[in-house]
Amino acid sequence: MALNDEASAPIITPAATAAPSRPRLGTLAITLPTTMIVLFMVWTAVPSILLPVQVQALTGSTDAGALAIASVLGTVAAAIANPVFGHLSDRTRSRFGRRTPWIVVGAVSGAAVLLLQIAAPSIAVLGLCWAATCLTLNAFQAAFMAVVPDRVPTARIGLASSLIGTGLNAGVLVGSLMFVVFPGLAGSGGYVLLAILIVAVAVLFVVVSPDTDSRALPREPFRLGEFFATFWVSPRRYPDFAWVFIARVLLMLGYFLLFAFLMFALQDYVGLAQDQAVPQAALLFAINGAASVVGSILAAPIADRSGRLKVFVLIAGAGLAVSLVIPLVQASMVAMYVFAVVNGIAFGIYMSVDTALVNRVLPRPEDAAKDLGIMNLGMVIPQVLSASIGAIVVSLVGYAGLFAIAAVIAVVGALAILPVRKVV
């Protein structure tokens, strides 16, 4: 596996050269959503259920600050890993292609450190283990997400986006529902299952949807200065990229701000006991995931046919805000169930168009994985901010304040899409 800088030479991909009258996704129609399901089982189950359970076991309390410490290191690692490994995969030369080596190595090493996390003896070690998991699995995810601009014909980008969005939402659903059906998985069993699945889905992807040999692609000497210089996309030169990034950050922050502390909110705001909070939190995530799938399925074909994406972002932002106001009216499980449904539908609507939005504003096709890595920070940064901001907000104004602030952020995020010119 060789790493090189080919930024000055355009990469000719199958998606760019093929011009069939009725392009198809082929095996990617199966492997794209399947891979997303497993990835987002991990991104849902660990920070939402497994980490809080471990934190409460280690501290003996619903310590939002300790949970923030345990989770924030992982999201910082993800923020670093996504663009770095995206850039490296762009420049990888191997007989297995640019993406396959990073998908395989990222999945295997990610599964290994996920298993190490089981025996973490302290909050600090738990945070470091989660950081290592996020670092390695983001190597996998960065390379995987670059497959869309690599191989998907332009006419099928909308379909690929909806498949990825549906897989993401289904992953949230399955990653939550497994604790409702099998409560005993809220411990070492959950970690073991996720480690097995992440390796299995990576092998499935590279075998069923293999990459093409990249050794013949143009190559130049690797220059460290140029490498770091490319981790910047000028908002002045590419304003649409910047606005889509801002919208993504704020909408995701509005979504994650509460969910980062959901299990603790059920205990301290709604009034559940710990043994009730774990299955109820899992059930809420499952309801939210199911509603997200519904929202994505309903919105995706309409968006694909109409080509109008902004209106769906505006609807999603408004829906997220409305959902977050509901628990302010009544602090009960009924209100939380309604919140989960409305919030999930809104999130699903946004995710059904998110990938299409991003791919339409990418600055340079030859740096697709790197630019996607930067854009993927729009998902990672909100998770970093949600842990730190959420802990501060809870300590100052409680969970009611957290609901209100998240609603305002979601609305502002939706409005940020309006200046984008490349999409309607």
Side-chain angles (χ1 to χ4, degrees):
M1 177 166 54
L3 304 178
N4 299 278
D5 187 342
E6 81 281 11
S8 62
I11 293 174
I12 306 300
T13 65
T17 58
S21 57
R22 296 177 64 85
R24 297 181 179 180
L25 292 181
T27 59
L28 290 176
I30 297 173
T31 55
L32 284 177
T34 302
T35 304
M36 286 299 285
I37 288 172
V38 174
L39 279 170
F40 275 82
M41 283 180 67
V42 176
W43 300 140
T44 298
V46 178
S48 303
I49 302 296
L50 297 176
L51 270 184
V53 167
Q54 279 188 282
V55 167
Q56 196 159 1
L58 289 169
T59 64
S61 66
T62 55
D63 188 340
L67 180 57
I69 292 171
S71 59
V72 75
L73 291 175
T75 47
V76 169
I80 296 170
N82 216 295
V84 168
F85 287 113
H87 186 93
L88 293 177
S89 74
D90 277 338
R91 282 143 181 78
T92 297
R93 300 292 175 266
S94 80
R95 60 173 293 192
F96 303 106
R98 292 184 290 170
R99 316 305 177 189
T100 296
W102 297 102
I103 289 174
V104 172
V105 172
V108 172
S109 55
V113 291
L114 194 62
L115 293 175
L116 290 177
Q117 195 169 320
I118 296 172
S122 67
I123 296 297
V125 174
L126 179 61
L128 289 173
C129 288
W130 179 230
T133 299
C134 290
L135 186 77
T136 50
L137 289 186
N138 269 275
F140 174 2
Q141 185 168 326
F144 165 73
M145 291 301 292
V147 168
V148 174
D150 276 358
R151 304 191 220 169
V152 176
T154 302
R156 297 286 83 186
I157 288 288
L159 176 58
S161 175
S162 65
L163 288 172
I164 287 174
T166 300
L168 185 158
N169 293 320
V172 173
L173 171 61
V174 178
S176 307
L177 197 58
M178 69 183 200
F179 298 108
V180 177
V181 179
F182 305 106
L185 288 176
S188 60
Y191 282 117
V192 172
L193 175 62
L194 293 173
I196 293 171
L197 288 176
I198 203 71
V199 172
V201 79
V203 172
L204 175 69
F205 186 86
V206 299
V207 171
V208 175
S209 300
D211 204 351
T212 56
D213 192 325
S214 63
R215 289 175 294 180
L217 292 176
R219 56 177 78 209
E220 291 183 5
F222 179 80
R223 298 181 179 90
L224 187 63
E226 292 181 5
F227 172 80
F228 286 109
T230 57
F231 289 99
W232 169 252
V233 175
S234 170
R236 180 171 295 180
R237 290 186 62 191
Y238 306 104
D240 284 352
F241 185 90
W243 282 114
V244 169
F245 180 84
I246 291 170
R248 183 185 252 198
V249 167
L250 293 176
L251 283 163
M252 291 294 176
L253 181 58
Y255 177 76
F256 283 117
L257 201 54
L258 172 70
F259 281 113
F261 300 94
L262 181 61
M263 201 180 87
F264 289 179
L266 292 180
Q267 296 177 64
D268 297 340
Y269 182 70
V270 179
L272 300 185
Q274 181 185 2
D275 60 346
Q276 297 173 309
V278 172
Q280 286 297 330
L283 181 58
L284 286 172
F285 276 110
I287 292 172
N288 186 263
S292 296
V293 173
V294 172
S296 181
I297 291 174
L298 292 176
I302 300 174
D304 196 35
R305 285 196 302 268
S306 68
R308 301 180 67 87
L309 304 181
K310 287 183 181 180
V311 64
F312 291 93
V313 177
L314 294 172
I315 292 171
L320 289 174
V322 169
S323 73
L324 289 158
V325 171
I326 293 170
L328 289 175
V329 177
Q330 184 181 36
S332 68
M333 281 310 302
V334 172
M336 293 301 294
Y337 293 142
V338 177
F339 151 78
V341 172
V342 177
N343 184 275
I345 291 173
F347 185 68
I349 290 172
Y350 175 65
M351 291 311 301
S352 71
V353 300
D354 174 67
T355 302
L357 272 171
V358 170
N359 278 275
R360 291 187 188 183
V361 299
L362 289 177
R364 297 173 295 271
E366 64 270 22
D367 285 328
K370 184 269 294 182
D371 291 334
L372 281 170
I374 294 174
M375 183 60 76
N376 285 339
L377 291 176
M379 283 192 177
V380 176
I381 289 173
Q383 295 177 63
V384 177
L385 295 177
S386 66
S388 53
I389 293 176
I392 294 171
V393 171
V394 170
S395 66
L396 293 177
V397 293
Y399 285 99
L402 194 66
F403 281 108
I405 290 173
V408 172
I409 291 172
V411 171
V412 175
L415 294 176
I417 204 68
L418 293 177
V420 178
R421 295 181 179 181
K422 286 186 179 179
V423 296
V424 293

